[in-house]
Amino acid sequence: MADTQPTEMMEEDEPFFSNLDLFLFSLIAGLLIYWLIFRKKAEPIPEFKKLETAAPTTRDTSFIDKMKKTGKNIVVFYGSQTGTAEEFSNRLAKDAHRYGMKGMAADPEEYDLSELSRMGEIDNSLAIFCLATYGEGDPTDNAQDFYDWLQEADADFSGLKYTVFALGNKTYEHYNAMGKYVDKRLEELGAQRIFDLGMGDDDGNLEEDFVSWREQFWPAVCEHFGVEATGEESSIRQYELKVHTDLNMNKVYTGELGRLKSFENQKPPFDSKNPFLAPVTVNRKLNKGGERHLMHLELDITGSKIRYESGDHVAVYPINDTAMVNKIGELLAVDLDTVISLNNLDEESNKKHPFPCPTTYRTALTHYLDITNSPRTNVLYELAQYASDPKDQENMRKMASSSAEGKAQYQSWVLDSCRNIVAILEDLPSLRPPIDHLCELLPRLQARYYSISSSSKVHPNSIHICAVVVEYQTKTGRVNKGVATNWLKNKMPTDNGHKATVPMYIRKSQFRLPFKSTNPIIMIGPGTGIAPFIGFIQERGWLKEQGKEVGETVLYFGCRHKNEDFLYQEELAQFEKTGVLTTLNVAFSRDQAEKVYVQHHLKNNKEAVWKLVHTDNAHIYICGDARNMARDVQTAFYEIAEELGGMSRPQAVDYIKKLMTKGRYSQDVWS
Amino acid sequence: MAADSAVSNGGENILTDSDDDILNPNDLSEVLAAGTKESHDKAENSPFVKDFLRGRIKRELFKLGTTALYYVYSAIEEEIEKVKDHAVFAPLYFPSELHRQEALAKDLAYFYGEDWESQISCSAATQPYVDRIHEVGRDDPVLLVAHAWTRYMGDLSGGQILKKVAQRALKLPPTGEGLNFYHFEGIHNPTAFKRLYRSRMNELEVDAETKAKLLDEANLAFKLNLDVFTELQEIGKDIEEEVQDIGPHAHGDMGGDISKCPYYAAKMAVSGNTTYACNFAKTVLRQSTVQVILATLVAAVAGLAAWYLM
């Protein structure tokens, strides 16, 4: 009985102790947890009070104060209607950190821009203006107030450093008017431009214009403020190299621009991504003498379903010289037959590769990359890091800067001396970049355009090209060759039993004959500028054979020597004989002491010209060099209108301009 | 009388008297350009177009607009094919440069899917436009010139602006899906093409009476376009879709109501935006309630502890 009782007592004690222990532990844990939470939650109260105190002083529209508070020294204002200028501004602001600076993008509508005069209060400060032009040379909506204010402003901007990138479209009359105005006006108000106005052309490639400008802009900023790219002496690569060792060769690009194997399995429609491989059926020299090589080629388009009109352009994809490609391989000590891909590190980007991949270095350098033109400064800047000789590195960086000395050096050493990438690698032995980075940096090899020198009415399955082979001696004693014309020159109809082919497509032109064959035409085309007019004359000849009435067909042609480069002389004589060509005027510029050009012949025939233009509704066509010939011819027309039309110069200018607007004065010119 | 008046009016608007002997003010391209200026301005300043240019365009409206264009261009191009070899239109026949039907079909396939044809219909304002084009094609085909000029030249010019706005506002891909209509692939220089088109218009053999009729038809074409814009504007009032202002959506899945994002509200409050300061204050107050609850809990625990110790 006694034994039983002690056992019961022990049982009672055990549960009690256990409960007590549990309770105590929970209490301590709970207390600790809640206490900590209480302490953390106390934080918001002081913060809220601080906010109330701070709010009034930051309610205004001062971007200067905002920049100071956030430690920014670069502000990018955008005038944006479709969002592109805003996008560019955000990218520029983001870029700044790579150069030890801090940027912010800003909407000019939200800030008081008279504060630009206070920019000097911030060290190493810079304002960038990314401005689109809208409508008829107007500012975008969000830049309207800034524009209005700027016109009336009488501010002192001597502390402001700035640059402008303008977005526009060359097809509009007031091309980049807004950007040009701001760039000029800020300077008038005392601001200092630290880099040149950039001009983006949406009719061309706005993105490329922006990237090119930006790639020279930042080196200029670094030089101006004396800063280096922070902790990143090397540039940031955009693409990552992947070497393929066991890839099926059927998946490797061999020069195709779009669909893999599109050169083996040709399918219409043919365009810039899918060129047609046209056999060369004729390749003959046109000139009878002289140092130059002028040539006439015929491309066979039978079976391609390609259609063209007189005056259209044929686009030709040239191939780089094998010797130059091999030279790059030697200089960089690389096996050019390595199969690689360059993959964009930005996986969001639509551009997966800089050129079709996978491919070999040889194919990239032969088909895809431009190795014959002088590199732009951004390429030199990116490559400079690989020069082991500090002096070479310094020189390359200097040439890529915006300093006057650097620009002069780039102009003379690279441009005036016509150094391409091969020449640069040869002349700078310490410069040996990785070939993959070089391939990333070199621009794409572009198609070349030639005015078609045939009529589809007479030659429906054949496209004719007239071109002069580009070849010249450089100051460094090298011979530089135009990539396309030299390649075409060697395209003989029978090439060891194979048909020589040319990847091509048609780019439709707006350079067209009048619809009515009775309308008179005046054609002015010296040298190879005669190309589209051979097609025009062929077509009018064909119409005449069809029994159609054909209006006056007048040609002004110019060349250097009658016995050397009078192109298509026999064909023109035949057209003159049959009456298709009603008047042929030829100016031989170097057959006598005094130079005679097409514009001189125009003025000598001013009465006939004026009658055709003013009374008979003639259409005028000009083809050739834009810089000199086209301008001189236009001046000749002004003078004829003044003299025979009794106009003042402004009236004559307006007259010719109206002819242009009505499509009666057309130009197919290049610079 | 009406004919003479219209032509004369056009002439006066184009050139001063002293210029009359210099260039022909009665060229068709100049008659139409001057005579439709008022209509053009009205269309350009319609609420729908203005909203569009500011990037305030609803996706559903853009789809309906594309549908309307599809019916209109199908009609124009169907009638053009019938007269492509006739003197009244042949000089203006540029199918590979201008024809839009195929591009619009691609856009509709993108927006509505493969069975897009069964999902679209011709709207109440579009139908009279389509009917008028067919009527003209049947009864007086030279007047097709007015419809072609009004639509093609307009889309070649202003369309380039609208394309960029739509791409940003509706987040269409930069590769061009949904916007094929605005891409005139066969024209690499729009300015040069418009000049060519004008020179071809001026080669048409049209007398003064026909020019007057063409001018009236061009103004009618502008009115018909304006009716479509007005209809779209009215439909837009019933659509509850958020108007997406141009600008990046930095706040993810909040469906555009950025004032609900605490981070954004705080950021705006710091920058002095009074609307968001108010929202931020409310947030803080709600947190004060939490503190009261916590204080109560602490007191209860303390009481419990005291009871146990006693």
Side-chain angles (χ1 to χ4, degrees):
Chain A
M1 295 296 286
D3 286 341
T4 305
Q5 279 187 338
T7 304
E8 285 180 359
M9 286 188 66
M10 285 186 68
E11 280 186 11
E12 273 191 336
D13 281 349
E14 204 169 19
F16 178 77
F17 179 79
S18 181
N19 278 339
L20 177 61
D21 199 28
L22 182 64
F23 179 78
L24 193 61
F25 178 82
S26 296
L27 176 63
I28 294 168
L31 188 63
L32 194 65
I33 289 169
Y34 285 123
W35 184 252
L36 288 173
I37 291 173
F38 177 84
R39 284 189 150 217
K40 282 192 173 181
K41 288 303 178 180
E43 292 291 337
I45 295 183
E47 209 167 45
F48 179 61
K49 285 183 178 178
K50 189 185 286 186
L51 279 177
E52 283 215 304
T53 306
T57 64
T58 59
R59 203 180 296 271
D60 61 18
T61 56
S62 168
F63 67 89
I64 294 289
D65 289 344
K66 181 170 182 180
M67 289 176 74
K68 287 181 176 178
K69 188 185 307 292
T70 56
K72 302 295 198 326
N73 57 347
I74 292 181
V75 59
V76 193
F77 290 107
Y78 54 86
S80 187
Q81 194 78 25
T82 63
T84 308
E86 182 180 359
E87 180 200 332
F88 286 174
S89 293
N90 285 321
R91 286 161 69 179
L92 286 171
K94 220 175 288 181
D95 277 349
H97 83 276
R98 291 173 56 176
Y99 306 96
M101 307 175 90
K102 293 183 180 177
M104 76 178 210
D107 185 342
E109 201 163 41
E110 292 175 4
Y111 292 99
D112 176 7
L113 264 69
S114 65
E115 285 209 337
L116 286 166
S117 58
R118 293 177 54 201
M119 283 289 282
E121 296 173 19
I122 299 173
D123 287 343
N124 289 352
S125 67
L126 171 67
I128 304 168
F129 297 86
C130 243
L131 302 170
T133 295
Y134 175 63
E136 297 294 320
D138 300 319
T140 55
D141 288 349
N142 78 318
Q144 182 74 57
D145 288 346
F146 171 53
Y147 175 73
D148 292 342
W149 173 81
L150 203 55
Q151 293 182 93
E152 308 297 330
D154 184 24
D156 174 17
F157 281 173
S158 54
L160 170 65
K161 295 180 172 65
Y162 78 98
T163 189
V164 178
F165 183 79
L167 294 81
N169 189 310
K170 265 178 184 163
T171 63
Y172 291 95
E173 184 175 348
H174 304 282
Y175 175 50
N176 274 325
M178 180 63 176
K180 287 174 180 171
Y181 172 76
V182 171
D183 184 61
K184 174 170 152 286
R185 182 67 177 145
L186 289 176
E187 185 178 46
E188 287 171 1
L189 295 173
Q192 181 188 355
R193 182 190 300 105
I194 70 159
F195 189 66
D196 295 337
L197 167 68
M199 304 264 270
D201 176 19
D202 198 20
D203 188 48
N205 191 320
L206 189 59
E207 171 74 18
E208 271 180 26
D209 291 338
F210 173 69
V211 169
S212 295
W213 176 85
R214 182 179 67 171
E215 284 172 343
Q216 297 187 38
F217 164 68
W218 284 117
V221 171
C222 291
E223 199 215 350
H224 182 85
F225 291 116
V227 300
E228 291 284 349
T230 311
E232 290 162 3
E233 195 61 28
S234 63
S235 66
I236 295 180
R237 293 285 300 267
Q238 189 179 344
Y239 297 92
E240 160 188 65
L241 171 66
K242 180 173 172 56
V243 178
H244 303 283
T245 52
D246 58 356
L247 196 61
N248 183 341
M249 292 309 288
N250 278 324
K251 293 185 175 148
V252 176
Y253 280 87
T254 63
E256 300 93 336
L257 294 149
R259 179 172 52 88
L260 192 55
K261 300 295 181 188
S262 60
F263 283 164
E264 290 179 12
N265 311 307
Q266 294 247 272
K267 295 174 197 165
F270 297 103
D271 55 29
S272 60
K273 286 294 185 182
N274 183 35
F276 177 69
L277 296 178
V280 176
T281 54
V282 172
N283 184 342
R284 74 167 193 260
K285 193 174 186 185
L286 279 174
N287 53 317
K288 308 183 190 74
E291 298 298 314
R292 300 187 300 163
H293 184 103
L294 293 114
M295 59 189 174
H296 172 90
L297 273 79
E298 296 181 13
L299 308 180
D300 185 1
I301 55 171
T302 306
S304 67
K305 299 188 182 177
I306 288 173
R307 296 284 177 269
Y308 73 96
E309 301 284 341
S310 306
D312 283 348
H313 303 133
V314 56
V316 167
Y317 282 104
I319 287 171
N320 284 316
D321 185 14
T322 302
M324 280 188 76
V325 173
N326 286 332
K327 188 65 176 179
I328 292 177
E330 282 172 39
L331 290 166
L332 300 184
V334 169
D335 175 11
L336 292 177
D337 294 309
T338 307
V339 180
I340 58 134
S341 288
L342 290 180
N343 302 319
N344 203 327
L345 291 165
D346 177 8
E347 292 177 5
E348 299 294 316
S349 176
N350 292 294
K351 191 173 182 182
K352 302 300 177 189
H353 314 284
F355 44 77
C357 289
T359 188
T360 64
Y361 287 125
R362 186 183 305 282
T363 300
L365 291 166
T366 302
H367 291 266
Y368 299 133
L369 298 173
D370 183 355
I371 62 177
T372 56
N373 279 315
S374 299
R376 285 169 158 176
T377 55
N378 67 293
V379 175
L380 297 186
Y381 183 82
E382 301 280 352
L383 293 180
Q385 59 182 306
Y386 300 114
S388 54
D389 184 335
K391 188 166 171 59
D392 287 344
Q393 192 173 119
E394 183 191 338
N395 279 332
M396 290 181 73
R397 290 222 155 96
K398 186 190 291 180
M399 285 193 280
S401 74
S402 71
S403 69
E405 186 189 359
K407 281 186 175 178
Q409 191 173 338
Y410 175 74
Q411 180 70 39
S412 74
W413 197 80
V414 175
L415 296 182
D416 292 347
S417 303
C418 303
R419 279 182 167 91
N420 54 39
I421 190 62
V422 174
I424 288 171
L425 292 173
E426 284 175 337
D427 292 346
L428 296 176
S430 87
L431 175 65
R432 291 297 178 256
I435 191 169
D436 55 289
H437 197 179
L438 186 66
C439 289
E440 176 181 324
L441 292 171
L442 291 174
R444 288 292 296 268
L445 180 56
Q446 301 293 322
R448 304 305 204 258
Y449 297 97
Y450 298 94
S451 294
I452 293 171
S453 60
S454 54
S455 163
S456 57
K457 301 295 193 297
V458 180
H459 302 283
N461 289 310
S462 185
I463 287 172
H464 301 181
I465 295 174
C466 167
V468 56
V469 175
V470 175
E471 187 170 304
Y472 53 91
Q473 186 105 351
T474 75
K475 289 182 179 179
T476 61
R478 296 179 172 93
V479 173
N480 272 9
K481 300 183 174 187
V483 53
T485 50
N486 279 273
W487 174 73
L488 285 173
K489 176 187 176 187
N490 294 319
K491 287 285 184 175
M492 289 302 163
T494 306
D495 190 12
N496 294 327
H498 294 295
K499 282 187 174 180
T501 60
V502 170
M504 53 73 75
Y505 68 94
I506 299 296
R507 182 175 78 173
K508 297 194 82 60
S509 165
Q510 283 78 63
F511 198 71
R512 295 282 187 86
L513 278 169
F515 185 82
K516 290 196 298 197
S517 57
T518 52
N519 272 345
I521 63 176
I522 300 174
M523 302 171 284
I524 301 151
T528 55
I530 194 176
F533 302 137
I534 296 298
F536 281 8
I537 298 167
Q538 284 176 359
E539 184 144 333
R540 289 211 142 187
W542 177 83
L543 287 165
K544 204 174 172 74
E545 284 173 7
Q546 306 298 305
K548 299 275 178 27
E549 185 191 344
V550 174
E552 287 203 51
T553 303
V554 178
L555 174 65
Y556 288 83
F557 173 69
C559 61
R560 296 178 185 176
H561 301 284
K562 180 172 186 177
N563 292 327
E564 286 184 9
D565 53 345
F566 188 169
L567 307 181
Y568 299 108
Q569 183 175 9
E570 292 79 17
E571 290 90 337
L572 292 174
Q574 183 63 24
F575 284 126
E576 221 181 353
K577 186 177 173 185
T578 58
V580 176
L581 198 52
T582 53
T583 307
L584 171 62
N585 296 276
V586 187
F588 303 110
S589 60
R590 301 187 192 182
D591 270 350
Q592 62 285 316
E594 185 190 355
K595 298 203 171 178
V596 176
Y597 297 113
V598 286
Q599 61 267 26
H600 298 119
H601 279 236
L602 271 175
K603 282 194 269 190
N604 288 343
N605 291 281
K606 61 195 177 191
E607 285 87 6
V609 167
W610 182 246
K611 178 179 183 294
L612 285 170
V613 172
H614 191 61
T615 308
D616 299 337
N617 214 49
H619 289 227
I620 300 162
Y621 299 91
I622 298 163
C623 181
D625 154 58
R627 206 175 307 106
N628 300 306
M629 185 277 298
R631 185 198 59 200
D632 291 342
V633 164
Q634 195 159 318
T635 300
F637 276 108
Y638 293 153
E639 290 170 7
I640 292 171
E642 287 175 71
E643 196 172 334
L644 298 183
M647 300 175 202
S648 65
R649 173 56 64 107
Q651 285 173 323
V653 170
D654 192 57
Y655 182 89
I656 298 299
K657 185 173 173 183
K658 281 197 168 71
L659 287 181
M660 289 180 178
T661 300
K662 290 168 176 269
R664 283 182 49 203
Y665 189 111
S666 302
Q667 303 186 89
D668 186 11
V669 296
W670 55 84
S671 57
Chain B
M1 284 303 292
D4 290 341
S5 174
V7 171
S8 175
N9 181 63
E12 284 169 7
N13 285 347
I14 295 172
L15 297 165
T16 63
D17 289 343
S18 65
D19 288 330
D20 280 353
D21 292 331
I22 296 178
L23 277 173
N24 189 348
N26 292 330
D27 274 346
L28 181 58
S29 67
E30 295 195 24
V31 167
L32 290 187
T36 58
K37 188 172 192 315
E38 193 173 316
S39 298
H40 180 266
D41 288 348
K42 202 177 292 182
E44 199 170 60
N45 288 290
S46 68
F48 176 77
V49 172
K50 278 197 150 183
D51 275 349
F52 198 148
L53 285 171
R54 288 200 161 86
R56 300 175 61 82
I57 176 68
K58 299 172 182 177
R59 192 180 185 90
E60 192 58 32
L61 280 193
F62 189 76
K63 290 160 72 175
L64 292 175
T66 302
T67 300
L69 287 171
Y70 175 78
Y71 283 109
V72 169
Y73 273 109
S74 295
I76 290 179
E77 286 163 15
E78 181 185 328
E79 297 299 332
I80 282 174
E81 288 297 314
K82 295 176 185 173
V83 295
K84 65 183 181 183
D85 294 322
H86 295 180
V88 295
F89 201 88
L92 297 173
Y93 183 63
F94 293 101
S96 61
E97 287 95 333
L98 290 176
H99 273 14
R100 297 289 89 201
Q101 185 188 32
E102 191 177 316
L104 285 158
K106 282 183 191 170
D107 292 341
L108 292 173
Y110 173 78
F111 287 124
Y112 289 101
E114 287 307 309
D115 62 339
W116 58 272
E117 279 164 301
S118 64
Q119 292 192 47
I120 62 170
S121 62
C122 196
S123 72
T126 307
Q127 192 63 57
Y129 194 173
V130 169
D131 291 343
R132 177 61 188 170
I133 291 165
H134 287 306
E135 179 186 352
V136 159
R138 182 180 62 246
D139 297 337
D140 199 352
V142 69
L143 297 185
L144 286 174
V145 171
H147 285 281
W149 175 80
T150 301
R151 266 284 31 131
Y152 286 126
M153 295 300 102
D155 290 319
L156 202 46
S157 301
Q160 303 313 299
I161 301 290
L162 298 180
K163 172 186 179 182
K164 287 297 176 62
V165 175
Q167 183 181 337
R168 298 283 301 190
L170 301 176
K171 296 177 185 46
L172 297 171
T175 41
E177 286 88 357
L179 297 164
N180 290 283
F181 166 67
Y182 294 107
H183 184 223
F184 290 81
E185 194 169 89
I187 297 176
H188 81 270
N189 186 334
T191 294
F193 184 83
K194 283 184 278 181
R195 290 176 172 176
L196 172 63
Y197 203 82
R198 286 186 204 111
S199 86
R200 292 296 176 86
M201 284 180 70
N202 296 334
E203 291 194 63
L204 294 172
E205 308 271 15
V206 288
D207 56 24
E209 182 186 354
T210 305
K211 279 178 187 168
K213 289 201 292 181
L214 279 163
L215 180 53
D216 289 343
E217 192 68 23
N219 278 307
L220 176 58
F222 274 107
K223 179 192 178 299
L224 292 166
N225 276 284
L226 193 55
D227 290 344
V228 173
F229 294 159
T230 303
E231 182 185 54
L232 289 168
Q233 188 75 10
E234 287 303 310
I235 292 172
K237 293 176 182 175
D238 297 326
I239 293 179
E240 298 192 357
E241 179 184 334
E242 281 279 336
V243 175
Q244 304 170 60
D245 288 308
I246 288 180
H249 261 220
H251 302 279
D253 295 326
M254 302 194 75
D257 189 353
I258 55 180
S259 63
K260 287 183 178 175
C261 172
Y263 169 77
Y264 196 82
K267 186 179 172 186
M268 287 296 112
V270 170
S271 66
N273 187 314
T274 54
T275 302
Y276 293 108
C278 184
N279 279 317
F280 188 79
K282 289 178 180 175
T283 302
V284 172
L285 284 174
R286 282 197 293 274
Q287 294 191 359
S288 296
T289 304
V290 175
Q291 292 179 63
V292 173
I293 295 171
L294 285 174
T296 303
L297 284 173
V298 172
V301 171
L304 193 60
W307 169 83
Y308 170 75
L309 288 174
M310 289 176 65

